[in-house]
């Protein structure tokens, strides 16, 4: 169905203009026709009255002399007036003369005259007029005219009006099509702009103003609105960007913290495992040592006290002693790994750079000469921080640790490669675990790395070798863990770990299969108390001492007694802490105090330390 609402503004405007102009035209035409109707009737009436007057004036004589023929002659003159249908002259109350005379009287003429006056019927006008002679009424004129002329004229007008209407519609239509653009074009442009903005989400578009009318104001308003939306959009985008950036930052922080946590957890687990292993190892070592000491000791004693032994006897005794000493040596190393540093153990200033150069020199046969003999090139480089501070440590231990790391690195480059030794300072604040990627920097105010106070010295041994898989990396610090089969003891890194523990340092290992390994030894920076080197001058061993020997192991106790007595000392033994104390006090009371007390540390009830304190 036709709907006005669905029409475009253009059509609506055209329709409005057409309707308005048509209505106006119709109203004007109707007024014009009505006016024409009224004036033409008035004119007709006036003409007919004049004609009746003339006829009346001409017919006074005919009436006076009863000359009917003359009267009819006068009336016949009306034949020139086409629209006069009938005319008559009455004398008194009766018809005197008539026109047209040949039509039956009853048809066209009223039988009697009516009072003077006129009236319009549907399509004719009738008129009666009294004929006066010297003021006296002597008769009446009757005229009847048709309205054909008026009707014809009206028809003509109607035709003209229709013609005008059609012409004016045409012109109005053309004009309206042209004029409506003044209104519709800006609206159309506005609608197009709004659509473009919403489809492209481009708030920088603007509508162009063409006039300072209400439409111009509308476009101004629309543009203003766009500006505000654009500003808000930009602000929103900015806020969104900021938020995304913050989320990304937080995510990075969280990831970092999560990785840190995992690393810390792994480290703690490894430390726990190593601690348990260490405790077990040193426990076993202690027991083996206790069991081994009498074997070696008595073998020694036997060799010394029985010179009459056969040649074979003394040879076997030597074998027993040597084998025992070898075992004791291994056990001692094992105990050494996890031995806590004794408070009194001297920490001396160690110059790591110097030490690195020394160890490179010392290990040269292993990393250059031997591989070269097999046509393999191993290059060792050093990258040393000249301003490296000294650390407090036990130089021999650090040297051994570094030697072990270099030997491991050499083993890791069986077909040749590079080994780099690097020293540098680091700050715990910047990288608590030294190897972990530095914490993601916040946007502002991050201190420069160099600006941080160095708290640690890092000694790095990096190789371009075979690297380790995850499992090996996790377990490589464990004692006896080795992937080298017969060639390896699995004690190298365990020893390095023990050394670092005693230095309150850390060992970190970064390794990727096929890419190489970097081992970091991280030492805290602290000043070492200046130590006086232990006296090297040999003082003659004292003899004839009064010695108290406390040990819960009867064999050991006995061995010690025998050994010391063979050296010319006077020895008293006690089988435990309590017994030892009693013997000590007893001797004091007797005025013969002991010069030396030798006590086992690990004993039931009262151990060596408690005895020493007492
Ligand atoms: N630089 C290295 N590159 C690759 N693997 C290494 C490296 N250092 C140590 N490892 C691994 O750690 C294990 C333990 O090393 P270590 O304790 O020195 O014992 P060993 O050298 O006697 O095997 C090695 O067997 C080896 O698998
Ligand atoms: Mg090794």
């Amino acid at each position: 169905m036709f709907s006005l609402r669905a029409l475009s503004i253009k059509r609506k405007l055209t329709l409005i203009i057409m309707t308005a102009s048509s209505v106006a035209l119709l109203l004007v035409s109707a007024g014009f026709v009505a006016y024409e109707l009224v004036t033409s009737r008035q004119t007709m009436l006036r003409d007919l009255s004049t004609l009746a007057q003339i006829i009346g004036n001409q017919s006074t004589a005919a009436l006076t002399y009863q000359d009917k023929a003359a009267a009819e002659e006068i009336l016949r003159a009306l034949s020139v007036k086409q629209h006069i249908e009938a005319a008559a002259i009455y004398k008194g109350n009766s018809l005197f003369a008539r026109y047209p005379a040949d039509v039956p009287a009853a048809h066209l003429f009223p039988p009697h005259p009516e009072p003077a006056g006129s009236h319009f019927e549907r399509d004719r006008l009738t008129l009666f007029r009294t004929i006066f002679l010297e003021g006296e009424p002597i008769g009446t004129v009757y005229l009847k005219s048709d309205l054909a002329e008026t009707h014809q004229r009206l028809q003509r007008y109607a035709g003209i009006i229709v013609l005008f209407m059609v012409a004016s519609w045409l012109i109005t239509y053309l004009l309206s099509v042209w004029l409506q653009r003044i209104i519709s074009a800006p609206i159309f442009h506005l609608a197009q702009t709004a659509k473009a903005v919403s489809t492209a989400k481009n708030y920088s578009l603007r509508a162009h103003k063409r006039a300072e009318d209400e439409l111009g104001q509308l476009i101004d308003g629309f543009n203003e609105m766009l500006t505000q939306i654009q500003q808000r959009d930009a602000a929103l985008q900015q806020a969104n960007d900021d938020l995304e950036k913050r989320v990304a930052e937080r995510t990075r922080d969280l990831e970092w913290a999560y990785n840190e946590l995992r690393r810390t957890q792994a480290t703690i687990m490894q430390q726990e495992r190593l601690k348990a292993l260490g405790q077990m190892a040193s426990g076993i070592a202690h027991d083996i040592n206790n069991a081994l000491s009498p074997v070696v000791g008595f073998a020694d004693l036997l060799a010394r006290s029985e010179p009459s032994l056969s040649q074979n006897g003394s040879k076997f005794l030597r074998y027993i002693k040597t084998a025992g000493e070898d075992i004791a040596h291994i056990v001692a190393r094992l105990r050494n790994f996890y031995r806590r540093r004794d408070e009194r153990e001297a920490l001396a200033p160690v110059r790591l750079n110097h030490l690195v150069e020394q160890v490179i020199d010392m290990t040269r046969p292993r990393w250059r000469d031997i591989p070269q003999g097999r046509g393999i090139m191993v290059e060792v480089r050093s990258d040393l921080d000249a301003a490296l501070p000294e650390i407090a440590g036990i130089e021999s231990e650090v040297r051994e640790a570094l030697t072990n790391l270099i030997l491991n690195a050499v083993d890791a480059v069986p077909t040749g490669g590079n080994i780099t030794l690097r020293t540098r300072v680091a700050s715990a604040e910047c990288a608590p675990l030294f190897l972990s990627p530095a914490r993601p920097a916040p946007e502002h105010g991050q201190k420069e790395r160099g600006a941080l106070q160095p708290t640690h010295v890092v000694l790095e041994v990096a190789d371009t070798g075979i690297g380790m898989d995850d499992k090996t990396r996790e377990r490589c610090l464990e004692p006896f863990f080795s992937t080298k089969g017969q060639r390896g003891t699995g004690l190298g890194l365990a020893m390095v770990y023990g050394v670092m523990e005693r230095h309150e340092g850390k060992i970190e290992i970064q390794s990727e299969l096929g890419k190489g390994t970097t081992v970091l030894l991280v030492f805290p920076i602290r000043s070492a108390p200046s130590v006086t080197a232990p006296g090297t001058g040999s003082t003659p061993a004292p003899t004839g001492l009064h010695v108290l020997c406390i040990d819960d192991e009867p064999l050991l106790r006995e061995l010690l007694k025998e050994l010391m007595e063979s050296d010319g000392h006077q020895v008293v033994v006690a089988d435990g802490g309590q017994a030892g104390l009693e013997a000590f006090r007893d001797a004091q009371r007797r005025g013969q105090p002991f010069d030396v007390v030798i006590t086992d540390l690990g004993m039931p009830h009262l151990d060596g330390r408690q005895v020493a304190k007492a």
Side-chain angles (χ1 to χ4, degrees):
M1 203 186 85
F2 171 78
S3 161
L4 209 59
R5 287 170 198 219
L7 283 184
S8 68
I9 290 252
K10 258 187 196 171
R11 296 262 153 90
K12 273 186 194 138
L13 278 173
T14 310
L15 195 71
I16 288 167
I17 294 170
M18 296 287 291
T19 312
S21 70
S22 304
V23 169
L25 206 63
L26 274 175
L27 281 176
V28 169
S29 305
F32 182 62
V33 168
Y35 173 77
E36 188 55 37
L37 206 65
V38 172
T39 50
S40 74
R41 282 188 173 203
Q42 278 173 354
T43 311
M44 219 177 143
L45 194 59
R46 208 169 45 239
D47 287 356
L48 213 60
S49 290
T50 311
L51 201 60
Q53 171 107 41
I54 293 167
I55 290 170
N57 287 349
Q58 287 178 346
S59 51
T60 46
L63 275 172
T64 312
Y65 301 107
Q66 301 269 355
D67 187 353
K68 189 177 169 188
E72 283 191 339
E73 184 65 38
I74 292 166
L75 287 179
R76 226 181 346 265
L78 288 173
S79 64
V80 295
K81 301 271 187 192
Q82 276 180 357
H83 53 278
I84 299 291
E85 276 188 347
I89 296 172
Y90 295 85
K91 184 171 170 59
N93 213 11
S94 55
L95 190 63
F96 175 65
R98 60 198 171 105
Y99 163 84
D102 49 350
V103 178
H107 248 204
L108 280 172
F109 312 100
H112 308 292
E114 286 170 25
S118 62
H119 70 270
F120 283 95
E121 287 166 19
R122 216 170 68 84
D123 51 359
R124 44 185 53 85
L125 168 64
T126 56
L127 178 135
F128 290 92
R129 191 177 178 100
T130 314
I131 303 169
F132 292 95
L133 183 67
E134 294 171 353
E136 284 295 315
I138 56 168
T140 306
V141 177
Y142 165 70
L143 287 175
K144 181 183 193 178
S145 168
D146 62 24
L147 298 178
E149 195 184 321
T150 315
H151 285 173
Q152 270 167 16
R153 196 160 348 139
L154 281 178
Q155 265 170 15
R156 251 197 330 271
Y157 282 147
I160 291 169
I161 285 171
V162 168
L163 216 69
F164 262 94
M165 290 270 291
V166 170
S168 83
W169 268 339
L170 208 70
I171 294 167
T172 313
Y173 177 74
L174 293 176
L175 266 178
S176 76
V177 165
W178 183 57
L179 286 176
Q180 51 82 18
R181 289 225 294 260
I182 297 172
I183 307 266
S184 69
I187 293 178
F188 187 66
H189 171 66
L190 193 64
Q192 292 251 301
T193 313
K195 196 168 177 187
V197 166
S198 80
T199 6
K201 302 267 176 294
N202 178 1
Y203 298 108
S204 63
L205 291 176
R206 292 291 177 272
H208 302 295
K209 188 163 87 166
R210 298 171 192 201
E212 291 297 336
D213 55 3
E214 286 86 340
L215 278 173
Q217 287 171 11
L218 183 66
I219 285 173
D220 276 347
F222 177 75
N223 286 343
E224 175 61 24
M225 204 169 72
L226 279 180
T227 306
Q228 285 181 12
I229 292 176
Q230 194 181 10
Q231 280 165 358
R232 271 182 218 179
D233 200 50
L236 206 68
Q237 189 60 44
Q238 180 67 39
N240 205 27
D241 288 352
D242 285 354
L243 197 70
E244 265 175 25
K245 219 187 283 170
R246 281 220 300 276
V247 168
E249 249 172 53
R250 292 281 171 281
T251 312
R252 254 196 348 255
D253 281 358
L254 274 178
E255 268 171 15
W256 184 84
Y258 175 70
N259 288 336
E260 249 344 273
L261 199 69
R262 268 189 27 196
R263 286 170 55 85
T264 312
Q265 198 186 18
T267 311
I268 288 173
M269 271 169 62
Q270 194 187 37
Q271 277 172 351
E272 285 302 310
R273 211 171 46 230
L274 289 172
K275 201 169 139 195
L277 267 168
Q279 277 170 356
M280 200 177 75
S282 60
I284 293 172
H286 180 260
D287 286 351
I288 293 178
N289 208 35
N290 278 356
L292 201 63
S293 298
V295 175
V296 179
F298 282 118
D300 190 35
L301 208 60
L302 197 61
R304 276 202 264 164
S305 60
E306 301 292 332
S308 57
L309 272 179
S310 71
Q311 227 178 9
N312 263 350
S314 16
K315 190 168 80 184
F316 296 156
L317 211 54
R318 258 200 326 277
Y319 286 168
I320 294 175
K321 202 183 150 218
T322 314
E325 275 169 356
D326 282 352
I327 299 177
H329 194 67
I330 294 176
V331 167
R333 275 182 69 191
L334 197 61
R335 287 183 78 183
N336 233 4
F337 295 157
Y338 300 106
R339 175 175 63 81
R340 294 248 190 95
R341 184 167 60 82
D342 198 312
E343 300 289 287
R344 287 158 303 170
E345 206 164 356
L347 284 184
V350 177
R351 288 185 296 145
L352 273 186
N353 287 351
H354 177 72
L355 197 113
V356 167
E357 275 156 6
Q358 214 181 15
V359 176
I360 291 179
D361 253 3
M362 264 166 48
T363 51
R364 196 177 303 274
R366 277 297 307 276
W367 59 261
R368 197 182 61 191
D369 305 343
I370 298 178
Q372 231 168 36
R374 283 183 277 137
I376 296 165
M377 276 298 294
V378 177
E379 198 184 329
V380 174
R381 299 184 202 140
S382 60
D383 171 11
L384 308 176
D385 180 351
L388 199 75
E390 288 177 341
I391 59 155
I394 306 160
E395 190 167 315
S396 59
E397 288 203 346
V398 181
R399 187 182 300 115
E400 203 182 340
L402 186 56
T403 307
N404 261 302
L405 294 184
I406 293 181
L407 296 188
N408 275 351
V410 173
D411 286 344
V413 289
T415 55
N418 295 334
I419 299 170
T420 308
L421 284 91
R422 191 174 292 120
T423 56
R424 58 182 166 92
V425 290
S427 170
E429 204 183 321
C430 188
L433 287 172
F434 300 94
L435 253 190
S436 44
R439 188 190 183 89
E443 291 292 289
H444 319 284
Q446 166 72 345
K447 279 194 261 172
E448 277 296 302
R449 196 188 166 93
L452 294 172
Q453 187 65 28
T455 56
H456 291 79
V457 166
V458 183
L459 170 55
E460 258 178 59
V461 180
D463 65 63
T464 56
I466 52 175
M468 298 183 229
D469 56 20
D470 287 347
K471 189 105 206 115
T472 307
R473 201 184 55 238
E474 272 168 31
R475 298 198 53 197
C476 63
L477 294 178
E478 292 173 11
F480 304 112
F481 176 84
S482 174
T483 56
K484 298 174 189 167
Q486 288 292 331
R487 290 187 302 114
T489 59
L491 292 178
L493 287 181
M495 174 258 164
V496 177
Y497 177 80
V499 169
M500 291 320 286
E501 284 290 289
R502 282 194 290 284
H503 282 77
E504 282 156 46
K506 278 198 182 70
I507 174 168
E508 286 191 35
I509 297 170
Q510 189 181 45
S511 187
E512 208 174 320
L513 209 58
K515 296 224 169 129
T517 304
T518 303
V519 182
L520 289 91
L521 304 184
V522 184
F523 298 90
I525 297 178
R526 54 180 176 180
S527 53
S530 54
V531 266
T532 44
T536 44
S538 58
T539 29
T543 51
L545 294 174
H546 191 203
V547 181
L548 170 61
C549 210
I550 313 172
D551 204 310
D552 57 333
E553 281 286 328
L555 265 178
L556 276 181
R557 211 162 54 219
E558 221 34 60
L559 172 67
L560 265 175
K561 185 170 183 300
E562 292 293 341
L563 277 175
M564 304 204 75
E565 279 178 354
S566 77
D567 279 345
H569 302 296
Q570 187 194 339
V571 182
V572 176
V573 291
D575 62 358
Q578 196 56 48
L581 266 184
E582 276 163 19
F584 185 80
R585 286 181 187 136
D586 206 36
Q588 268 185 330
R589 246 182 278 123
R590 277 189 279 113
Q592 290 173 323
F594 289 108
D595 301 316
V596 176
V597 179
I598 299 174
T599 174
D600 183 15
L601 285 180
M603 290 183 298
H605 311 304
L606 196 63
D607 74 14
R609 285 184 186 81
Q610 287 165 310
V611 172
K613 246 188 243 159

